[in-house]
Amino acid sequence: MVVIINRELCTGCGRCIDFCPVEALSLDSDDIVVVDVSLCVDCGQCVDECPVEALSMD
């Protein structure tokens, strides 16, 4: 599984970043969330916490 980020929906609020237990998420220069796949453990917490449903698992 991998986290998919819908760049059109992401508002850059950072909520998902706050809930990531392994600090795999960050904001890029456009204030859009990016995931470091080498750190991500596919727990899905970021997906559950996104208020605009910009994240999904695939």
Short mmCIF file of all heavy atoms in Angstrom, two decimals:
data_model
loop_
_atom_site.label_atom_id
_atom_site.label_comp_id
_atom_site.label_asym_id
_atom_site.label_seq_id
_atom_site.Cartn_x
_atom_site.Cartn_y
_atom_site.Cartn_z
N MET A 1 0.84 -1.18 0.00
CA MET A 1 0.00 0.00 0.00
C MET A 1 0.89 1.25 0.00
O MET A 1 1.99 1.23 0.53
CB MET A 1 -0.88 0.03 1.25
CG MET A 1 -1.87 -1.10 1.34
SD MET A 1 -3.26 -0.78 0.31
CE MET A 1 -4.52 -0.39 1.46
N VAL A 2 0.35 2.30 -0.55
CA VAL A 2 1.06 3.57 -0.58
C VAL A 2 0.04 4.70 -0.42
O VAL A 2 -1.11 4.57 -0.83
CB VAL A 2 1.86 3.73 -1.89
CG1 VAL A 2 0.96 3.79 -3.09
CG2 VAL A 2 2.78 4.91 -1.82
N VAL A 3 0.47 5.79 0.21
CA VAL A 3 -0.40 6.94 0.39
C VAL A 3 -0.42 7.74 -0.91
O VAL A 3 0.64 8.07 -1.45
CB VAL A 3 0.09 7.83 1.55
CG1 VAL A 3 -0.76 9.09 1.65
CG2 VAL A 3 0.07 7.08 2.86
N ILE A 4 -1.62 8.03 -1.38
CA ILE A 4 -1.81 8.84 -2.58
C ILE A 4 -2.30 10.22 -2.13
O ILE A 4 -3.23 10.32 -1.34
CB ILE A 4 -2.87 8.20 -3.52
CG1 ILE A 4 -2.49 6.76 -3.86
CG2 ILE A 4 -3.08 9.06 -4.75
CD1 ILE A 4 -1.21 6.62 -4.64
N ILE A 5 -1.68 11.26 -2.65
CA ILE A 5 -2.06 12.63 -2.29
C ILE A 5 -2.68 13.30 -3.50
O ILE A 5 -2.07 13.40 -4.57
CB ILE A 5 -0.83 13.42 -1.82
CG1 ILE A 5 -0.21 12.73 -0.61
CG2 ILE A 5 -1.21 14.87 -1.50
CD1 ILE A 5 1.21 13.12 -0.33
N ASN A 6 -3.92 13.75 -3.32
CA ASN A 6 -4.61 14.50 -4.36
C ASN A 6 -4.20 15.97 -4.20
O ASN A 6 -4.70 16.67 -3.32
CB ASN A 6 -6.12 14.32 -4.25
CG ASN A 6 -6.86 15.04 -5.35
OD1 ASN A 6 -6.44 16.07 -5.85
ND2 ASN A 6 -8.01 14.49 -5.72
N ARG A 7 -3.30 16.44 -5.05
CA ARG A 7 -2.77 17.79 -4.94
C ARG A 7 -3.84 18.85 -5.16
O ARG A 7 -3.71 19.97 -4.67
CB ARG A 7 -1.62 17.98 -5.92
CG ARG A 7 -0.40 17.12 -5.59
CD ARG A 7 0.76 17.36 -6.54
NE ARG A 7 1.24 18.72 -6.55
CZ ARG A 7 2.10 19.24 -5.68
NH1 ARG A 7 2.58 18.48 -4.72
NH2 ARG A 7 2.50 20.49 -5.79
N GLU A 8 -4.88 18.51 -5.86
CA GLU A 8 -5.97 19.47 -6.09
C GLU A 8 -6.80 19.70 -4.83
O GLU A 8 -7.34 20.79 -4.64
CB GLU A 8 -6.88 18.97 -7.22
CG GLU A 8 -6.19 18.80 -8.55
CD GLU A 8 -5.72 20.14 -9.13
OE1 GLU A 8 -6.48 21.13 -9.05
OE2 GLU A 8 -4.59 20.18 -9.64
N LEU A 9 -6.89 18.69 -3.98
CA LEU A 9 -7.70 18.80 -2.76
C LEU A 9 -6.91 19.25 -1.54
O LEU A 9 -7.47 19.85 -0.62
CB LEU A 9 -8.37 17.46 -2.44
CG LEU A 9 -9.42 16.96 -3.42
CD1 LEU A 9 -9.95 15.59 -2.97
CD2 LEU A 9 -10.56 17.96 -3.53
N CYS A 10 -5.62 18.98 -1.50
CA CYS A 10 -4.80 19.29 -0.32
C CYS A 10 -4.77 20.79 -0.08
O CYS A 10 -4.46 21.58 -0.99
CB CYS A 10 -3.38 18.75 -0.50
SG CYS A 10 -2.31 19.08 0.93
N THR A 11 -5.09 21.19 1.16
CA THR A 11 -5.09 22.61 1.53
C THR A 11 -3.83 23.00 2.28
O THR A 11 -3.66 24.17 2.63
CB THR A 11 -6.31 22.94 2.40
OG1 THR A 11 -6.23 22.19 3.61
CG2 THR A 11 -7.61 22.64 1.68
N GLY A 12 -2.96 22.04 2.57
CA GLY A 12 -1.73 22.32 3.29
C GLY A 12 -1.94 22.62 4.76
O GLY A 12 -1.12 23.28 5.39
N CYS A 13 -3.03 22.11 5.32
CA CYS A 13 -3.35 22.40 6.73
C CYS A 13 -2.37 21.74 7.70
O CYS A 13 -2.19 22.21 8.82
CB CYS A 13 -4.78 21.98 7.06
SG CYS A 13 -5.05 20.19 7.15
N GLY A 14 -1.73 20.64 7.29
CA GLY A 14 -0.75 19.96 8.13
C GLY A 14 -1.30 19.01 9.16
O GLY A 14 -0.55 18.41 9.92
N ARG A 15 -2.60 18.82 9.18
CA ARG A 15 -3.20 17.90 10.17
C ARG A 15 -2.63 16.50 10.03
O ARG A 15 -2.29 15.85 11.02
CB ARG A 15 -4.71 17.90 10.03
CG ARG A 15 -5.40 17.07 11.08
CD ARG A 15 -6.91 17.26 11.02
NE ARG A 15 -7.56 16.31 11.88
CZ ARG A 15 -8.06 16.62 13.08
NH1 ARG A 15 -7.99 17.86 13.51
NH2 ARG A 15 -8.64 15.70 13.80
N CYS A 16 -2.49 16.02 8.82
CA CYS A 16 -1.95 14.67 8.60
C CYS A 16 -0.52 14.56 9.13
O CYS A 16 -0.13 13.53 9.68
CB CYS A 16 -2.01 14.30 7.13
SG CYS A 16 -1.14 15.45 6.04
N ILE A 17 0.24 15.63 8.97
CA ILE A 17 1.63 15.65 9.45
C ILE A 17 1.66 15.47 10.96
O ILE A 17 2.48 14.73 11.49
CB ILE A 17 2.32 16.96 9.03
CG1 ILE A 17 2.44 17.03 7.51
CG2 ILE A 17 3.70 17.08 9.69
CD1 ILE A 17 2.88 18.37 6.98
N ASP A 18 0.75 16.15 11.65
CA ASP A 18 0.68 16.07 13.11
C ASP A 18 0.37 14.65 13.60
O ASP A 18 0.79 14.28 14.69
CB ASP A 18 -0.38 17.03 13.66
CG ASP A 18 -0.02 18.48 13.44
OD1 ASP A 18 1.18 18.78 13.27
OD2 ASP A 18 -0.95 19.32 13.43
N PHE A 19 -0.36 13.88 12.82
CA PHE A 19 -0.79 12.55 13.24
C PHE A 19 0.09 11.42 12.73
O PHE A 19 -0.10 10.27 13.13
CB PHE A 19 -2.25 12.31 12.84
CG PHE A 19 -3.23 12.99 13.74
CD1 PHE A 19 -3.64 14.29 13.50
CD2 PHE A 19 -3.71 12.33 14.87
CE1 PHE A 19 -4.52 14.93 14.35
CE2 PHE A 19 -4.59 12.97 15.73
CZ PHE A 19 -5.01 14.26 15.48
N CYS A 20 1.04 11.71 11.88
CA CYS A 20 1.91 10.65 11.35
C CYS A 20 2.87 10.18 12.44
O CYS A 20 3.69 10.95 12.94
CB CYS A 20 2.70 11.16 10.15
SG CYS A 20 3.79 9.90 9.45
N PRO A 21 2.79 8.89 12.81
CA PRO A 21 3.62 8.40 13.90
C PRO A 21 5.11 8.23 13.56
O PRO A 21 5.93 8.10 14.44
CB PRO A 21 3.00 7.03 14.23
CG PRO A 21 2.39 6.58 12.96
CD PRO A 21 1.90 7.85 12.29
N VAL A 22 5.44 8.28 12.27
CA VAL A 22 6.83 8.09 11.86
C VAL A 22 7.42 9.30 11.14
O VAL A 22 8.49 9.22 10.53
CB VAL A 22 6.99 6.81 10.99
CG1 VAL A 22 6.68 5.56 11.80
CG2 VAL A 22 6.12 6.89 9.75
N GLU A 23 6.70 10.41 11.17
CA GLU A 23 7.15 11.66 10.56
C GLU A 23 7.53 11.50 9.09
O GLU A 23 8.55 12.01 8.62
CB GLU A 23 8.30 12.26 11.36
CG GLU A 23 7.90 12.59 12.78
CD GLU A 23 9.02 13.18 13.62
OE1 GLU A 23 10.15 13.36 13.11
OE2 GLU A 23 8.77 13.46 14.80
N ALA A 24 6.67 10.79 8.36
CA ALA A 24 6.92 10.54 6.93
C ALA A 24 6.32 11.61 6.03
O ALA A 24 6.57 11.60 4.83
CB ALA A 24 6.34 9.18 6.54
N LEU A 25 5.56 12.53 6.61
CA LEU A 25 4.90 13.56 5.81
C LEU A 25 5.52 14.93 6.06
O LEU A 25 5.99 15.22 7.15
CB LEU A 25 3.41 13.63 6.16
CG LEU A 25 2.62 12.34 5.96
CD1 LEU A 25 1.21 12.51 6.51
CD2 LEU A 25 2.59 11.94 4.51
N SER A 26 5.50 15.75 5.02
CA SER A 26 5.98 17.12 5.13
C SER A 26 5.25 17.95 4.08
O SER A 26 4.53 17.42 3.24
CB SER A 26 7.49 17.19 4.93
OG SER A 26 7.84 16.70 3.66
N LEU A 27 5.46 19.26 4.13
CA LEU A 27 4.88 20.15 3.13
C LEU A 27 5.97 20.54 2.14
O LEU A 27 7.10 20.83 2.53
CB LEU A 27 4.31 21.41 3.78
CG LEU A 27 3.10 21.23 4.69
CD1 LEU A 27 2.71 22.58 5.31
CD2 LEU A 27 1.93 20.65 3.93
N ASP A 28 5.61 20.58 0.87
CA ASP A 28 6.57 21.01 -0.14
C ASP A 28 6.53 22.54 -0.26
O ASP A 28 5.83 23.21 0.50
CB ASP A 28 6.34 20.30 -1.48
CG ASP A 28 5.04 20.68 -2.17
OD1 ASP A 28 4.36 21.64 -1.75
OD2 ASP A 28 4.70 20.00 -3.16
N SER A 29 7.24 23.10 -1.19
CA SER A 29 7.32 24.55 -1.35
C SER A 29 5.99 25.18 -1.75
O SER A 29 5.81 26.39 -1.59
CB SER A 29 8.40 24.91 -2.36
OG SER A 29 8.10 24.35 -3.63
N ASP A 30 5.05 24.37 -2.24
CA ASP A 30 3.72 24.85 -2.59
C ASP A 30 2.71 24.62 -1.47
O ASP A 30 1.50 24.77 -1.68
CB ASP A 30 3.21 24.16 -3.86
CG ASP A 30 4.06 24.50 -5.08
OD1 ASP A 30 4.48 25.67 -5.20
OD2 ASP A 30 4.28 23.60 -5.91
N ASP A 31 3.19 24.22 -0.28
CA ASP A 31 2.34 23.89 0.86
C ASP A 31 1.37 22.75 0.55
O ASP A 31 0.21 22.76 0.94
CB ASP A 31 1.56 25.11 1.38
CG ASP A 31 2.45 26.06 2.15
OD1 ASP A 31 3.46 25.60 2.73
OD2 ASP A 31 2.16 27.26 2.19
N ILE A 32 1.88 21.75 -0.16
CA ILE A 32 1.14 20.53 -0.45
C ILE A 32 1.88 19.39 0.24
O ILE A 32 3.11 19.34 0.24
CB ILE A 32 1.06 20.26 -1.97
CG1 ILE A 32 0.40 21.44 -2.70
CG2 ILE A 32 0.33 18.96 -2.26
CD1 ILE A 32 -1.05 21.69 -2.34
N VAL A 33 1.14 18.48 0.82
CA VAL A 33 1.75 17.36 1.55
C VAL A 33 2.47 16.42 0.59
O VAL A 33 1.99 16.13 -0.51
CB VAL A 33 0.66 16.58 2.33
CG1 VAL A 33 1.21 15.30 2.91
CG2 VAL A 33 0.12 17.44 3.44
N VAL A 34 3.64 15.97 1.02
CA VAL A 34 4.39 14.94 0.32
C VAL A 34 4.73 13.85 1.32
O VAL A 34 4.84 14.11 2.52
CB VAL A 34 5.68 15.48 -0.35
CG1 VAL A 34 5.34 16.41 -1.49
CG2 VAL A 34 6.56 16.17 0.65
N VAL A 35 4.87 12.64 0.82
CA VAL A 35 5.18 11.51 1.70
C VAL A 35 6.55 10.95 1.35
O VAL A 35 6.88 10.80 0.18
CB VAL A 35 4.09 10.41 1.62
CG1 VAL A 35 3.97 9.83 0.22
CG2 VAL A 35 4.33 9.32 2.62
N ASP A 36 7.33 10.66 2.37
CA ASP A 36 8.62 9.99 2.20
C ASP A 36 8.32 8.49 2.29
O ASP A 36 8.13 7.96 3.38
CB ASP A 36 9.59 10.42 3.29
CG ASP A 36 10.97 9.79 3.15
OD1 ASP A 36 11.08 8.73 2.50
OD2 ASP A 36 11.92 10.35 3.70
N VAL A 37 8.25 7.83 1.15
CA VAL A 37 7.86 6.42 1.12
C VAL A 37 8.85 5.51 1.85
O VAL A 37 8.50 4.42 2.27
CB VAL A 37 7.61 5.91 -0.32
CG1 VAL A 37 6.41 6.62 -0.92
CG2 VAL A 37 8.84 6.10 -1.18
N SER A 38 10.08 5.98 2.03
CA SER A 38 11.05 5.17 2.75
C SER A 38 10.77 5.14 4.25
O SER A 38 11.22 4.24 4.95
CB SER A 38 12.47 5.67 2.49
OG SER A 38 12.69 6.92 3.10
N LEU A 39 10.00 6.11 4.74
CA LEU A 39 9.63 6.16 6.16
C LEU A 39 8.21 5.67 6.44
O LEU A 39 7.92 5.18 7.53
CB LEU A 39 9.76 7.59 6.69
CG LEU A 39 11.15 8.21 6.69
CD1 LEU A 39 11.07 9.67 7.13
CD2 LEU A 39 12.09 7.43 7.58
N CYS A 40 7.33 5.81 5.47
CA CYS A 40 5.91 5.49 5.65
C CYS A 40 5.72 4.00 5.99
O CYS A 40 6.32 3.13 5.37
CB CYS A 40 5.15 5.83 4.38
SG CYS A 40 3.38 5.53 4.47
N VAL A 41 4.87 3.75 7.00
CA VAL A 41 4.58 2.37 7.41
C VAL A 41 3.15 1.96 7.03
O VAL A 41 2.64 0.96 7.50
CB VAL A 41 4.82 2.17 8.93
CG1 VAL A 41 6.28 2.33 9.26
CG2 VAL A 41 3.96 3.12 9.75
N ASP A 42 2.51 2.74 6.20
CA ASP A 42 1.16 2.43 5.67
C ASP A 42 0.12 2.22 6.75
O ASP A 42 -0.76 1.38 6.63
CB ASP A 42 1.21 1.20 4.76
CG ASP A 42 2.17 1.37 3.60
OD1 ASP A 42 2.26 2.49 3.06
OD2 ASP A 42 2.84 0.39 3.23
N CYS A 43 0.19 3.01 7.82
CA CYS A 43 -0.77 2.85 8.92
C CYS A 43 -2.13 3.46 8.61
O CYS A 43 -3.13 3.09 9.20
CB CYS A 43 -0.21 3.44 10.22
SG CYS A 43 -0.07 5.24 10.21
N GLY A 44 -2.17 4.46 7.72
CA GLY A 44 -3.43 5.08 7.33
C GLY A 44 -3.92 6.19 8.24
O GLY A 44 -4.98 6.75 7.99
N GLN A 45 -3.17 6.53 9.27
CA GLN A 45 -3.61 7.60 10.17
C GLN A 45 -3.76 8.92 9.43
O GLN A 45 -4.69 9.68 9.71
CB GLN A 45 -2.65 7.75 11.34
CG GLN A 45 -2.90 6.74 12.44
CD GLN A 45 -2.05 7.03 13.65
OE1 GLN A 45 -1.00 6.43 13.82
NE2 GLN A 45 -2.50 7.93 14.47
N CYS A 46 -2.88 9.21 8.52
CA CYS A 46 -2.97 10.47 7.77
C CYS A 46 -4.26 10.53 6.95
O CYS A 46 -4.91 11.56 6.88
CB CYS A 46 -1.75 10.65 6.87
SG CYS A 46 -1.48 9.32 5.67
N VAL A 47 -4.61 9.40 6.35
CA VAL A 47 -5.83 9.32 5.55
C VAL A 47 -7.05 9.58 6.44
O VAL A 47 -7.94 10.35 6.08
CB VAL A 47 -5.95 7.94 4.87
CG1 VAL A 47 -7.27 7.80 4.14
CG2 VAL A 47 -4.78 7.72 3.91
N ASP A 48 -7.07 8.97 7.61
CA ASP A 48 -8.19 9.14 8.54
C ASP A 48 -8.32 10.57 9.05
O ASP A 48 -9.43 11.03 9.32
CB ASP A 48 -8.04 8.19 9.74
CG ASP A 48 -8.16 6.74 9.35
OD1 ASP A 48 -8.73 6.44 8.27
OD2 ASP A 48 -7.67 5.89 10.12
N GLU A 49 -7.22 11.27 9.18
CA GLU A 49 -7.23 12.61 9.78
C GLU A 49 -7.40 13.75 8.79
O GLU A 49 -7.67 14.88 9.18
CB GLU A 49 -5.95 12.84 10.59
CG GLU A 49 -5.83 11.95 11.80
CD GLU A 49 -6.97 12.15 12.80
OE1 GLU A 49 -7.51 13.26 12.92
OE2 GLU A 49 -7.32 11.15 13.45
N CYS A 50 -7.26 13.49 7.50
CA CYS A 50 -7.37 14.56 6.50
C CYS A 50 -8.80 15.10 6.45
O CYS A 50 -9.72 14.36 6.10
CB CYS A 50 -6.94 14.07 5.13
SG CYS A 50 -7.03 15.37 3.88
N PRO A 51 -8.98 16.38 6.78
CA PRO A 51 -10.33 16.94 6.80
C PRO A 51 -10.97 17.15 5.43
O PRO A 51 -12.18 17.31 5.32
CB PRO A 51 -10.16 18.27 7.53
CG PRO A 51 -8.74 18.65 7.27
CD PRO A 51 -7.97 17.35 7.20
N VAL A 52 -10.16 17.13 4.37
CA VAL A 52 -10.70 17.35 3.03
C VAL A 52 -10.59 16.11 2.14
O VAL A 52 -10.81 16.18 0.92
CB VAL A 52 -10.02 18.56 2.34
CG1 VAL A 52 -10.34 19.84 3.08
CG2 VAL A 52 -8.52 18.36 2.22
N GLU A 53 -10.22 14.98 2.75
CA GLU A 53 -10.11 13.70 2.05
C GLU A 53 -9.16 13.77 0.85
O GLU A 53 -9.43 13.20 -0.22
CB GLU A 53 -11.49 13.19 1.64
CG GLU A 53 -12.38 12.93 2.85
CD GLU A 53 -13.75 12.39 2.50
OE1 GLU A 53 -14.04 12.21 1.29
OE2 GLU A 53 -14.52 12.16 3.43
N ALA A 54 -8.04 14.47 1.03
CA ALA A 54 -7.04 14.60 -0.03
C ALA A 54 -6.10 13.41 -0.08
O ALA A 54 -5.35 13.25 -1.03
CB ALA A 54 -6.24 15.88 0.15
N LEU A 55 -6.13 12.57 0.97
CA LEU A 55 -5.24 11.42 1.04
C LEU A 55 -6.03 10.12 0.92
O LEU A 55 -7.16 10.02 1.41
CB LEU A 55 -4.47 11.41 2.36
CG LEU A 55 -3.68 12.67 2.69
CD1 LEU A 55 -3.04 12.53 4.06
CD2 LEU A 55 -2.65 12.96 1.65
N SER A 56 -5.43 9.14 0.29
CA SER A 56 -6.04 7.82 0.18
C SER A 56 -4.93 6.77 0.17
O SER A 56 -3.76 7.10 0.02
CB SER A 56 -6.90 7.71 -1.08
OG SER A 56 -6.12 7.93 -2.25
N MET A 57 -5.31 5.53 0.33
CA MET A 57 -4.34 4.42 0.28
C MET A 57 -4.62 3.61 -0.98
O MET A 57 -5.77 3.34 -1.32
CB MET A 57 -4.49 3.52 1.51
CG MET A 57 -4.24 4.17 2.84
SD MET A 57 -2.55 4.62 3.15
CE MET A 57 -1.81 3.03 3.42
N ASP A 58 -3.54 3.20 -1.64
CA ASP A 58 -3.70 2.36 -2.82
C ASP A 58 -2.68 1.25 -2.78
O ASP A 58 -1.57 1.41 -2.38
CB ASP A 58 -3.52 3.20 -4.09
CG ASP A 58 -3.81 2.42 -5.35
OD1 ASP A 58 -4.62 1.48 -5.29
OD2 ASP A 58 -3.23 2.75 -6.39
#
